Amino acid sequence: MQTLANFGDGGGPGPWILFFPVIWALVIGGGIALLRRTVWHGRRGGPGRRPTVGHDSPIAVLGRRFASGEIDEDEYWRRLSVLNEEFGHTSGAA
């Protein structure tokens, strides 16, 4: 009976046959990891990603009011902190 340990006498592929499934597992795992970090991660909004702010969202309206000079900086930050608490966003200061 030939075993993987008896490969020196030319009776089989030897332990190298185990190398190819490991290579395939690494290739498939690497492809899945690449997809998770690029394509699939962008669709889910994974950890650490802030949701995008729509043009008509209260935060966007507040930003436009601040940019146009309708409200001052103190008013902007005070209202933004209230909106962040209400909508669950972080202020982005890292």
Side-chain angles (χ1 to χ4, degrees):
M1 175 183 214
Q2 287 286 348
T3 63
L4 290 176
N6 291 332
F7 69 96
D9 60 356
W16 292 104
I17 197 165
L18 300 176
F19 183 69
F20 294 107
V22 170
I23 292 295
W24 277 110
L26 290 174
V27 168
I28 292 170
I32 290 173
L34 181 66
L35 286 173
R36 287 187 69 191
R37 293 185 59 83
T38 57
V39 178
W40 295 337
H41 185 70
R43 291 183 184 164
R44 279 189 311 199
R49 286 183 57 103
R50 292 180 52 197
T52 58
V53 177
H55 294 294
D56 295 333
S57 74
I59 295 175
V61 171
L62 181 65
R64 284 195 297 273
R65 288 185 65 199
F66 176 64
S68 68
E70 291 179 38
I71 58 174
D72 63 353
E73 186 177 0
D74 293 331
E75 181 75 11
Y76 171 77
W77 287 112
R78 188 166 44 88
R79 290 183 182 209
L80 183 62
S81 67
V82 170
L83 290 174
N84 283 335
E85 288 176 9
E86 183 177 337
F87 294 108
H89 297 154
T90 58
S91 64

